[in-house]
Amino acid sequence: MKMKGGGFMENLFKFPLKQHVGVDSNPVVKKNDFVKRGQLIATMPEGMLGANIYSSITGTVVEVSEMQICIKPDKTQSDSYMKLHSKKPLDLIREAGIVGLGGAGFPTYAKLQKPFGKNSGVVIVNAAECEPILSHNIDSIEHHAQQLIRGLDIVMDIVKADKGIIAIKSVHPEVIHKLEEVINDSRIHIHKLEDMYPMGEERAIVREVLDRLLDITELPFAADTVVINAETICRIQEAVDEKKPLIDKDITVAGKLKNGLIHIFHDVPLGISVGDIFEKAGGLADEYGELIMGGPFTGKRTSLDAPVIKTTGGLIAAEEFWKGPDKLGLLVCACGGNKERLEEIAASMGSEVVGVEYCKQAHEMKNGSLKCENPGRCPGQVQKVMALKKDGAQALLISNCTDCSNTVMSCAPQLKLPVYHCTDGALRAVNHKLIRKIK
């Protein structure tokens, strides 16, 4: 459904100055300024990697700090917006402040500013909807397939690609059929993906579509490829054809709610609070565990007063925390929750962490994050499980992908080690099957 006005317009909208990869944006407004929907409120520093930020509502600036800009919305709002000024597609994408809307938020203009060579290059639309529960991308494609194709055409023209591929899981036959109906360009094809996690990870997409496994330090451009999230592609179409800045976001809202388990909202104004979104979904149930911003695997714990930002894809009210064992072992995977996230969950379970192991394919990068050597293809976890048993673990808490979880479940029960997964609370809240043994 489209996001409409209502009670949420009485509350402050917050716009963090860091919503993307790169440096913080610089405010261009001051306290008591009146701003309109679509008006520029923060710019990226000249010559630095970053992104512009726009107000998603009409109202008055009440705070400008080093961290954020707060705006008090007017009681009367309109869907109209101040339009962008640039003429060329790449300039419009840059001006619009578009970043990757399905991951870390890498500024999209930087991805597209180097064209491919003659008669080469592939643009892959990542329509995998990688995380369980999240379904706003698939819903958007189902109802606006033509917009996706138009956005892909724009990107292919910018980077001079000779082929476009839409990577989508085969479990969505109706959506695939709708895409096939609107594709009238022989350069554009559909690639059907297996339904497993993390099939939407960038390097997994390249491996499945082009049959090339990139090194953990390589970007898709090394394979003459650009990978762009489905919603990002659609927001590119809006920026180029409608001169619309990035001010709205599609979101899946799910979990322990008073009215249904899963809701999809389109065009949610950035800056709105998490609490207001849950109210729009009918309100939170009387009892729930934690609030997650993002998906079950890689989402982070959030709060009711936190704002929706450019990279927000999901808001989940998880099941109440279950009482864990006294001693818990952690098995960290590059594709799921990191060590800190698992420690956070363990603490909420009332368990002491007695050992930490990492999937043998998880490699630490310079920025401290982990990358999987071959996403979704697990070599086995027996040694790691045995090490945690030796550390005194009475059970395991894991963050592994589908395949890794399968290997853990093949050995842990034999060692009398129960297994918990970082996704359990979210999946239980919507009555989804837990990530356990699949074969």
Side-chain angles (χ1 to χ4, degrees), residues 344-366:
E344 180 180 57
I345 295 173
S348 295
M349 293 169 62
S351 299
E352 175 192 357
V353 174
V354 295
V356 179
E357 294 288 334
Y358 292 82
C359 171
K360 63 178 67 175
Q361 291 200 145
H363 296 269
E364 186 172 359
M365 307 302 288
K366 289 182 179 179

Side-chain angles (χ1 to χ4, degrees), residues 13-14 19 89 93 96 130 142 158-159 166 173 193 225 234 236 260 276 288 292-293 304 315 325 345 356 400 425 432:
F13 276 57
K14 300 176 182 178
Q19 300 187 35
I93 292 168
C130 190
E142 182 176 8
I158 291 173
V159 298
I166 302 169
L193 300 169
T225 307
C234 291
I236 286 173
D276 284 336
Y288 58 90
I292 300 169
M293 181 177 288
L304 292 172
L315 293 172
I345 295 173
V356 179
N400 301 81
H432 276 206

Side-chain angles (χ1 to χ4, degrees), residues 140-436:
S140 179
I141 296 170
E142 182 176 8
H143 294 94
H144 305 286
Q146 188 61 59
Q147 182 185 21
L148 185 83
I149 301 303
R150 169 59 182 152
L152 175 54
D153 182 67
I154 290 170
V155 173
M156 290 173 64
D157 185 61
I158 291 173
V159 298
K160 309 302 181 187
D162 61 359
K163 183 182 292 186
I165 298 176
I166 302 169
I168 184 170
K169 291 180 179 177
S170 58
V171 293
H172 304 296
E174 299 88 355
V175 180
I176 292 172
H177 179 66
K178 290 194 175 184
L179 283 169
E180 291 171 338
E181 287 183 325
V182 299
I183 294 174
N184 57 8
D185 187 335
S186 61
R187 302 174 302 159
I188 296 177
H189 307 276
I190 295 172
H191 185 97
K192 298 176 184 179
L193 300 169
E194 184 181 356
D195 184 23
M196 66 178 294
Y197 183 90
M199 196 50 72
E201 197 270 347
E202 191 172 64
R203 288 169 52 247
I205 288 278
V206 172
R207 180 192 65 210
E208 297 301 309
V209 174
L210 302 180
D211 195 27
R212 172 172 172 178
L213 177 61
L214 295 170
D215 185 78
I216 58 172
T217 61
E218 288 183 309
L219 297 174
F221 202 83
D224 291 329
T225 307
V226 170
V227 181
I228 303 186
N229 164 265
E231 185 182 359
T232 308
I233 283 280
C234 291
R235 299 301 176 185
I236 286 173
Q237 180 275 325
E238 292 178 345
V240 174
D241 292 341
E242 303 169 25
K243 302 294 189 291
K244 182 181 177 181
L246 181 58
I247 49 179
D248 297 320
K249 185 77 182 67
D250 296 340
I251 299 177
T252 302
V253 183
K256 304 294 286 184
L257 306 171
K258 292 180 179 178
N259 181 25
L261 297 177
I262 301 177
H263 300 259
I264 296 171
F265 291 109
H266 295 290
D267 292 334
V268 174
L270 295 175
I272 190 173
S273 74
V274 167
D276 284 336
I277 293 294
F278 277 120
E279 285 302 310
K280 280 291 178 180
L284 289 164
D286 293 334
E287 296 178 344
Y288 58 90
E290 64 175 347
L291 302 179
I292 300 169
M293 181 177 288
F297 274 92
T298 59
K300 308 295 183 184
R301 188 172 294 183
T302 189
S303 61
L304 292 172
D305 62 350
V308 168
I309 60 174
K310 294 180 181 184
T311 55
T312 302
L315 293 172
I316 303 171
E319 183 69 71
E320 289 182 271
F321 281 104
W322 50 96
K323 178 67 173 72
D326 291 335
K327 297 180 179 182
L328 198 61
L330 307 184
L331 180 50
V332 184
C333 177
C335 304
N338 60 19
K339 174 176 175 286
E340 290 71 27
R341 173 67 175 139
L342 294 190
E343 288 175 336
E344 180 180 57
I345 295 173
S348 295
M349 293 169 62
S351 299
E352 175 192 357
V353 174
V354 295
V356 179
E357 294 288 334
Y358 292 82
C359 171
K360 63 178 67 175
Q361 291 200 145
H363 296 269
E364 186 172 359
M365 307 302 288
K366 289 182 179 179
N367 62 3
S369 66
L370 298 175
K371 271 199 174 183
C372 182
E373 188 175 310
N374 193 2
R377 301 287 183 258
C378 183
Q381 303 287 354
V382 175
Q383 292 178 333
K384 305 295 184 177
V385 171
M386 292 181 66
L388 291 171
K389 174 78 172 181
K390 186 176 180 180
D391 288 338
Q394 298 167 324
L396 305 181
L397 173 60
I398 67 176
S399 62
N400 301 81
C401 68
T402 306
D403 195 35
C404 283
S405 298
N406 195 35
T407 61
V408 171
M409 290 306 299
S410 296
C411 60
Q414 297 182 41
L415 296 173
K416 294 183 171 52
L417 288 175
V419 179
Y420 301 89
H421 199 284
C422 70
T423 63
D424 285 352
L427 296 179
R428 288 182 189 277
V430 295
N431 298 327
H432 276 206
K433 185 178 180 180
L434 301 183
I435 308 296
R436 294 297 190 271

Side-chain angles (χ1 to χ4, degrees), residues 44 46-47 52 89-98 109 113:
M44 57 179 171
E46 191 67 31
N52 291 335
L90 185 58
D91 293 338
L92 283 162
I93 292 168
R94 179 188 179 100
E95 184 187 352
I98 296 175
Y109 74 88
Q113 60 187 357

Side-chain angles (χ1 to χ4, degrees), residues 4-11 13 57 72-75 77 269:
K4 299 296 183 183
F8 72 82
M9 284 303 175
E10 299 174 0
N11 301 322
F13 276 57
I57 40 90
K72 176 70 174 177
D74 280 1
K75 291 183 178 180
Q77 296 288 326

